[in-house]
Amino acid sequence: MAWISSAEAIRQLGVRPQTLYAYVSRGRLEARPDPEDPRRSLYSAEDIERLASRRSGPKRAAEIARASIAWGEPVLTSKLTVIAEGRLCYRGVDAIDLSQTATLEAAAAHFWAADYAPRPGMPPVTDGPLKARLFTALATRAGTDPHARGRSRAMLATDAATVLETLVDAATGGTGDGPIHKRLGAAWALDPDGADLVRRALILMLDHELNASTFSARVAASTGASLSACALAGLSTLSGPLHGAAVNGVLAFLSEARLLGAGVAVSARLDEGRALPGFGHPLYPGGDPRATELLAHFEVPEKLADILSAVANESGEYPNVDFAIGAMAQRFALPTDAAFSVFAIGRSIGWLGHAMEQIETGSLIRPRARYAGEMLDSAAWP
């Protein structure tokens, strides 16, 4: 056990000497004579830390909560995904390894720890742009599907597989047989190599721990909402330009670089203090392994390779998965919003897995807000 002087104890606690002595007399703080000077006392550092944390509880809790919101400390416990030392693992299996040969259906079964067994679904949504069809399909289900509370794990897994199939049918514009990646490949006129790259991308996009869209899905699940409603919450959050729709920013940057030249486009953005879409990631300072894996499986067009080189020379940043998906979309001439759809369909497996895990906890996610406004006298209200 570590021991500290009275002066240090008083400093850490922010109290007067009398209060320190009162803690000892009440048994809340252990003290002992200083071996080097019996006239003085030493105090338990562990007890001091405990008392200090209690004294600053609300303030400290608020600081921790605030720091946890943006790439901060973990805020809940999960057995699904971990990102550590530059690796992404789903239920203990490296995502890169899983993407080598697994179908999306097999990856979903692993992530959900359940058989992939969807029930016959509703007629597919065929009208409207690709992205709109995804929203319409989930919203239609969310308006009629039963809530999730009280449903068995097996039934929830069937619900999850059915929701995923609903998204795939919306993306392809019809129902079909065979692996999901081949159905998407056929709908998007891809050759076998292109379809297999979609398979890899879907699996690598499957989950990314507690990102914004996954947290949205878990909040919805904590209320007992249906799995389709949870997926819709995730999709809505994914659509923001700082999340799944970031790939649109990448595509705009790629077009900019083609027009101006890679070196000029990169230098101009850096000189203006603007971001380089598709590069860098807070969780992967040594490079996003998902991007590295995807880019290794197709020949990057020359102009895109020039961008990679220019960014490396000018900023030292590595490409992230948004760049890889954008490059894939250009290399295989994917339809408008297909890149977003790959992101959404893959990530929906994560939303559904997290939703099931949250439902099983039986707890409601309901944080508190720290009010920063002013209080008005009610008498002054007109």
Side-chain angles (χ1 to χ4, degrees):
M1 180 182 294
W3 299 87
I4 59 177
S5 67
S6 61
E8 179 61 18
I10 289 169
R11 186 193 69 78
Q12 289 189 27
L13 290 174
V15 298
R16 297 178 299 171
Q18 295 94 318
T19 305
L20 183 70
Y21 306 146
Y23 283 151
V24 175
S25 65
R26 294 170 186 167
R28 300 178 65 188
L29 173 60
E30 185 176 354
R32 74 171 190 181
D34 186 340
E36 297 180 0
D37 187 350
R39 295 172 300 175
R40 300 178 182 275
S41 295
L42 297 178
Y43 301 87
S44 165
E46 182 178 342
D47 288 347
I48 293 294
E49 182 178 1
R50 173 177 50 78
L51 289 168
S53 66
R54 289 181 179 178
R55 283 179 58 82
S56 60
K59 180 179 178 182
R60 185 174 181 182
E63 292 172 351
I64 292 172
R66 184 168 58 250
S68 297
I69 291 297
W71 308 99
E73 292 299 315
V75 297
L76 56 79
T77 300
S78 175
K79 295 182 179 179
L80 297 177
T81 298
V82 63
I83 302 167
E85 299 179 353
R87 295 178 65 206
L88 169 66
C89 297
Y90 306 144
R91 283 193 182 271
V93 175
D94 192 298
I96 304 299
D97 294 341
L98 190 65
S99 73
Q100 299 301 321
T101 57
T103 63
L104 187 63
E105 293 87 339
H110 167 72
F111 194 76
W112 298 338
D115 292 337
Y116 187 84
R119 67 174 63 88
M122 62 185 190
V125 176
T126 58
D127 295 332
L130 176 52
K131 184 177 179 180
R133 297 201 303 267
L134 300 181
F135 274 95
T136 301
L138 284 183
T140 301
R141 289 208 74 96
T144 58
D145 283 353
H147 65 72
R149 288 182 65 84
R151 295 170 74 79
S152 69
R153 175 74 183 196
M155 188 169 287
L156 286 174
T158 295
D159 290 348
T162 305
V163 170
L164 177 58
E165 290 289 328
T166 297
L167 275 174
V168 174
D169 288 348
T172 60
T175 58
D177 297 322
I180 287 172
H181 71 280
K182 290 187 177 181
R183 287 150 58 190
L184 291 171
W188 297 341
L190 297 176
D191 61 20
D193 287 342
D196 188 66
L197 190 64
V198 167
R199 178 190 63 77
R200 293 176 187 273
L202 289 167
I203 292 173
L204 292 174
M205 300 303 300
L206 186 152
D207 192 46
H208 207 231
E209 199 224 51
L210 206 59
N211 57 80
S213 58
T214 298
F215 190 64
S216 293
R218 287 195 80 125
V219 171
S222 77
T223 71
S226 67
L227 289 188
S228 53
C230 297
L232 180 59
L235 183 65
S236 299
T237 308
L238 186 75
S239 66
L242 298 183
H243 196 7
V247 70
N248 294 331
V250 173
L251 294 174
F253 177 45
L254 298 184
S255 297
E256 188 180 307
R258 280 199 308 272
L259 179 65
L260 302 175
V264 173
V266 171
S267 295
R269 279 183 170 263
L270 292 175
D271 289 345
E272 295 166 7
R274 292 192 292 156
L276 299 174
F279 290 86
H281 197 294
L283 297 181
Y284 303 112
D288 187 337
R290 301 168 298 171
T292 302
E293 176 64 17
L294 282 178
L295 292 172
H297 287 282
F298 67 98
E299 184 176 352
V300 178
E302 182 179 355
K303 291 187 177 181
L304 300 188
D306 290 343
I307 295 173
L308 289 172
S309 178
V311 172
N313 292 334
E314 294 288 336
S315 73
E317 291 281 13
Y318 299 96
N320 60 36
V321 76
D322 293 331
F323 178 89
I325 295 292
M328 180 183 80
Q330 291 210 345
R331 165 64 180 79
F332 291 92
L334 295 182
T336 302
D337 285 333
F340 176 82
S341 298
V342 169
F343 204 152
I345 292 170
R347 187 57 54 85
S348 68
I349 296 173
W351 299 333
L352 294 162
H354 278 271
M356 286 188 280
E357 184 178 65
Q358 184 64 40
I359 289 164
E360 290 173 347
T361 70
S363 61
L364 176 69
I365 297 176
R366 203 298 192 185
R368 295 292 308 278
R370 187 166 181 262
Y371 181 67
E374 59 179 323
M375 295 298 292
L376 301 178
D377 188 341
S378 59
W381 186 255

